[in-house]
């Protein structure tokens, strides 16, 4: 298998370390995604690469900061020196604008309160806002029609001798970051955190097929969805955004992102009282939560027939356990209203319950319960979702980090890109089967503990290292039968996104070598649906699990 050399972050001793890291990112994208760049974008990169060191560094500093507009006086960095020559070079290359028109809201962000008062002293005094906060003054300026038209910085504040530089290439660098990381929640700080040792990642070989995107349309689609979500977060009407949603592509990953955004639009519309938009978005969203929400909204609107039809469809072809559970409840609520047959009686699995009455405490209720349930020969650990997810990761490490095409495409992956997507386990069926076979031949204990010591501290989405001590793992592996681990791991792998949470809070190791899982509930708290599903699963598997209700003494 042909492999590609992994990029290494620059040493922080170099004052231009961030420039070296940016060069790594740019070179990586040019080498591995160059076919997805337009000629104009390639020309911009060529211009940047040919600029002087200080100009290249200043551009990277601007790209790494918030916003796209910067006052020259605020762009002072020791290694760059006077920013004016570097800024002028960037302007001449067309990478930066000089004197761009900006709206008054952006001006308010760029000015301090004192500067804002100098700029609009007369207006604030006339409006009785001389002593108002900056936020109040900004909102007032934005509401005034005389300030509605964007202007150059010098026109807003003629008395200032400052200059405004604005990025002309921000869309390009956003695209580069997306093509490198495969997402936009990771940024340039990954290089620094890795060099500092604050983040460690598993080393996975890269192949020529290790790319997040194979077509430019996929990059465009991701960016369109990203910016629509940002507009939704900023308060834009869901109905307006729904009309601008891009058509779906033949790409399962992006289709899931589009379905999730459509679900978020539906939820926002429902909360805003726009039921028609919400129903339309739910109807066309393929998100796993959409049908239940759609049916509930129909029920609240009195459309019992349509709601019941959805419940029937969900029961006949459920997308997951959560939908099956939700649709069963809807059926029980609606069948009389539509004259349908009564559902078969459902008896929830009996779960052992206990009540603890404890002195009032400031600590977490789970920790208070753990102390109360623990004994000299019965230690209790607060593990929540961490124990079984962590054991699964340690047992199946080589399957998780197998260099499958599209799973890893940059050196800062905590886990495979498809970890929580449908088909994750199917793509690694043989690899996972080999790992799980250790539960049958007895080698799993040695393998898990060895992996724990070997991989300590490496980032993994299924592992919370501080929650897993070696004594806890040794006790768990000594008490939990391999058949129980196999059943739990198989359920987790069937839907890591859906089943990765809801596991009991505590594990209690008993003197006879057995163990018990305990879900703790404080006053007024009740079981969540995912917790009920796990408790029902444990009952079917004859795994001891109980619910502990905590009450505080007066």
């Amino acid at each position: 298998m042909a492999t590609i050399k992994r990029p290494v972050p620059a040493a922080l001793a170099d004052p231009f370390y961030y420039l070296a890291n940016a060069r790594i990112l740019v070179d990586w994208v040019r080498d591995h995604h160059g076919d997805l760049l337009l000629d104009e974008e390639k020309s911009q990169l060529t211009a940047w690469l040919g600029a002087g060191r200080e100009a290249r560094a200043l551009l990277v500093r601007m790209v790494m900061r918030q916003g796209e507009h910067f006052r020259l006086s605020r762009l002072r960095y020791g290694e760059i020196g006077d920013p004016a020559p570097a800024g002028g070079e960037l302007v001449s290359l067309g990478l930066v604008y000089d004197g761009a028109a900006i709206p008054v809201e952006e001006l308010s962000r760029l000015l301090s309160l004192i500067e804002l008062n100098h700029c609009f002293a007369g207006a604030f005094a006339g409006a009785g806002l001389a002593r108002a906060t900056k936020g109040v003054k900004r909102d007032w300026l934005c509401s005034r029609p005389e300030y509605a038209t964007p202007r150059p910085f010098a026109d807003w504040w003629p008395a200032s001798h400052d200059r405004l530089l604005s990025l002309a290439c921000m869309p390009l660098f956003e695209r580069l970051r997306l093509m490198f990381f495969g997402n936009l929640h990771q940024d340039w700080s990954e290089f620094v955190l890795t060099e500092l040792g604050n983040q460690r990642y598993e080393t996975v070989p890269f192949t020529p097929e290790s790319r997040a995107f194979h077509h430019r349309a996929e990059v465009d689609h991701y960016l369109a969805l990203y910016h629509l979500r940002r507009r939704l977060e900023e308060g834009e009407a869901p109905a307006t955004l729904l009309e601008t949603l891009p058509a779906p592509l033949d790409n399962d990953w992006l289709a899931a992102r589009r379905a999730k955004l459509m679900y978020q639009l539906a939820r926002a519309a429902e909360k805003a009282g726009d039921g028609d938009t919400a129903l339309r978005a739910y109807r066309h969203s393929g998100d796993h939560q959409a049908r239940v929400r759609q049916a509930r909204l129909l029920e609240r609107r009195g459309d019992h027939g349509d709601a019941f039809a959805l419940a029937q469809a969900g029961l006949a072809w459920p997308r997951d356990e959560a939908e099956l559970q939700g649709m069963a409840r809807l059926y029980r609520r609606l069948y009389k209203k539509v004259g349908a047959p009564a559902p078969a009686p459902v008896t929830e699995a009996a779960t052992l319950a206990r009540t603890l009455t404890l002195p009032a405490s400031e600590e977490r209720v789970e920790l208070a319960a753990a102390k109360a349930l623990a004994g000299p020969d019965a230690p209790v650990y607060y593990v929540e979702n961490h124990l079984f997810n962590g054991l699964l990761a340690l047992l199946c490490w080589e399957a998780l980090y197998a260099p499958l095409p599209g799973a890893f495409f940059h050196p800062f992956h905590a886990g495979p890109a498809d970890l929580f997507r449908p088909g994750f386990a199917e793509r690694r069926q043989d690899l996972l089967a080999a790992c799980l076979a250790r539960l049958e031949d007895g080698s799993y204990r040695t393998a898990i503990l060895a992996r724990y010591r070997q991989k300590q501290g490496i980032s993994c989405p299924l592992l919370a290292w501080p929650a897993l001590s070696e004594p806890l793992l040794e006790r768990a592996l000594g008490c939990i039968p391999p058949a129980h681990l196999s059943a739990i791991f198989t359920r987790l792998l069937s839907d890591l996104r859906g089943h990765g949470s809801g596991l009991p809070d505590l594990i209690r190791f008993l003197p006879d070598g057995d163990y018990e899982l305990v879900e703790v509930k404080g006053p007024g708290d009740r079981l969540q649906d995912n917790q009920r599903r796990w408790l029902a699963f444990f009952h079917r598997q004859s795994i001891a699990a109980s619910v502990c209700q905590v009450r505080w003494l007066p």
Side-chain angles (χ1 to χ4, degrees):
M1 177 176 63
T3 59
I4 299 169
K5 185 179 179 181
R6 296 170 59 85
V8 178
L12 299 182
D14 178 3
F16 288 93
Y17 69 89
Y18 58 91
L19 178 58
N21 288 333
R23 181 64 187 264
I24 290 171
L25 186 149
V26 168
D27 287 348
W28 179 271
V29 173
R30 292 175 82 206
D31 291 343
H32 304 295
H33 300 81
D35 57 314
L36 306 186
L37 294 173
L38 300 177
D39 290 341
E40 178 186 352
E41 293 164 339
K42 293 176 182 177
S43 296
Q44 285 186 311
L45 290 177
T46 300
W48 175 70
L49 291 169
R53 183 178 64 171
E54 284 70 22
R56 284 183 282 121
L58 183 62
L59 186 72
V60 174
R61 285 288 195 183
M62 295 169 70
V63 167
M64 292 171 63
R65 285 174 55 167
Q66 292 291 323
E68 298 183 25
H69 306 281
F70 306 92
R71 294 168 61 179
L72 190 63
S73 63
R74 306 284 174 85
L75 290 173
R76 297 196 175 275
Y77 299 95
E79 74 280 5
I80 295 174
D82 181 4
E89 184 176 355
L90 293 173
V91 171
S92 68
L93 292 170
L95 299 173
V96 165
Y97 299 122
D98 189 359
I102 57 172
V104 73
E105 183 176 11
E106 179 66 16
L107 178 73
S108 301
R109 186 185 70 84
L110 293 169
L111 299 182
S112 68
L113 177 58
I114 293 175
E115 291 170 330
L116 201 63
N117 287 336
H118 283 307
C119 193
F120 297 99
F124 291 151
L129 297 175
R131 296 182 178 276
T133 64
K134 184 180 179 182
V136 170
K137 290 176 177 177
R138 179 202 60 222
D139 293 344
W140 181 81
L141 289 170
C142 293
S143 71
R144 301 299 298 171
E146 62 265 35
Y147 303 126
T149 304
R151 308 176 195 174
F153 183 83
D155 291 354
W156 282 117
W157 193 12
S160 172
H161 299 291
D162 212 347
R163 289 170 58 194
L164 186 72
L165 298 183
S166 305
L167 287 167
C169 56
M170 192 60 188
L172 169 60
F173 276 86
E174 182 181 60
R175 184 177 291 267
L176 294 173
R177 184 159 63 92
L178 173 59
M179 288 193 286
F180 182 82
F181 289 112
N183 62 70
L184 286 173
H185 65 260
Q186 287 180 288
D187 57 27
W188 312 90
S189 64
E190 295 287 350
F191 289 92
V192 178
L193 293 172
T194 301
E195 181 62 18
L196 288 171
N198 294 348
Q199 291 278 16
R200 293 173 54 213
Y201 298 97
E202 179 63 298
T203 300
V204 181
F206 296 130
T207 67
E209 296 78 27
S210 300
R211 295 183 7 154
F213 303 98
H214 295 277
H215 305 282
R216 183 176 176 88
E218 295 171 344
V219 184
D220 294 339
H221 192 80
Y222 187 108
L223 288 169
L225 296 177
Y226 171 78
H227 288 294
L228 281 174
R229 189 174 72 249
R230 291 285 300 272
R231 288 163 62 187
L232 177 65
E233 292 168 354
E234 291 167 1
E236 195 164 336
T240 302
L241 299 176
L242 190 60
E243 296 301 325
T244 60
L245 197 68
L249 295 181
D250 184 18
N251 180 302
D252 292 342
W253 166 49
L254 291 173
R257 292 190 66 85
R258 185 179 183 275
K260 182 67 174 180
L261 176 59
M262 192 173 286
Y263 175 78
Q264 292 168 335
L265 290 171
R267 292 285 288 132
E270 185 178 354
K271 291 177 181 177
D274 186 357
D276 292 340
T277 296
L279 286 175
R280 186 155 53 98
Y282 283 138
R283 191 176 302 117
H284 294 290
S285 171
D287 188 79
H288 66 108
Q289 307 170 82
R291 273 203 304 190
V292 172
R293 295 295 319 183
Q294 180 187 353
R296 289 175 180 169
L297 180 53
L298 287 168
E299 179 189 22
R300 288 199 301 274
R301 287 163 62 107
D303 298 331
H304 296 145
D306 289 344
F308 188 75
L310 272 179
Q312 287 180 305
L315 290 173
W317 301 284
R319 291 170 176 168
D320 54 28
E321 289 184 17
E323 185 175 74
L324 180 64
Q325 188 179 38
M327 292 305 194
R329 287 177 179 152
L330 274 162
Y331 190 105
R332 290 195 294 272
R333 289 201 302 267
L334 293 172
Y335 78 92
K336 289 183 180 179
K337 296 177 181 178
V338 299
V346 177
T347 304
E348 192 162 309
T351 302
L352 177 66
R354 59 162 63 87
T355 300
L356 284 178
T357 303
L358 303 175
S361 172
E362 294 295 324
E363 66 181 341
R364 293 182 62 99
V365 66
E366 297 90 349
L367 296 176
K371 290 179 181 178
L373 293 173
D377 300 318
V380 178
Y381 291 85
Y382 176 35
V383 295
E384 204 172 20
N385 302 310
H386 305 314
L387 177 60
F388 291 109
N389 279 297
L391 288 172
L392 173 64
L394 294 169
L395 179 65
C396 301
W397 192 273
E398 57 265 50
L400 290 180
Y401 292 97
L404 274 62
F408 298 90
F409 36 83
H410 62 77
F412 307 112
H413 273 287
D418 62 338
L419 180 62
F420 298 109
R421 297 178 200 162
F424 167 80
E426 287 75 10
R427 291 185 68 198
R428 299 159 176 81
Q429 185 173 359
D430 293 341
L431 292 168
L432 289 169
C435 295
L436 295 175
R438 296 177 181 135
L439 295 167
E440 299 177 9
D441 64 26
S443 63
Y444 68 97
R445 296 185 183 89
T446 301
I448 287 175
L449 289 172
R451 194 76 71 185
Y452 176 83
R453 295 163 189 146
Q454 177 190 8
K455 302 298 183 181
Q456 183 70 228
I458 292 179
S459 297
C460 174
L462 300 180
L463 270 167
W465 291 104
L468 298 180
S469 65
E470 192 160 345
L472 166 60
L473 292 186
E474 289 175 343
R475 281 188 179 273
L477 294 172
C479 293
I480 304 174
H484 289 185
L485 291 175
S486 178
I488 292 169
F489 293 165
T490 300
R491 184 170 193 266
L492 282 170
L493 287 168
S494 70
D495 183 2
L496 279 168
R497 179 200 61 205
H499 299 329
S501 60
L503 286 149
D505 298 307
L506 310 179
I507 185 166
R508 184 170 179 246
F509 298 107
L510 305 177
D512 61 0
D514 209 342
Y515 75 103
E516 175 193 13
L517 302 173
V518 183
E519 177 62 39
V520 179
K521 291 297 168 188
D525 199 3
R526 61 188 180 88
L527 288 172
Q528 302 299 309
D529 284 347
N530 57 352
Q531 294 168 341
R532 292 180 183 276
R533 294 193 293 271
W534 268 113
L535 289 171
F537 170 82
F538 292 137
H539 180 78
R540 294 194 299 271
Q541 298 293 327
S542 299
I543 295 174
S546 64
V547 177
C548 176
Q549 187 71 48
V550 174
R551 296 175 181 169
W552 302 121
L553 286 169

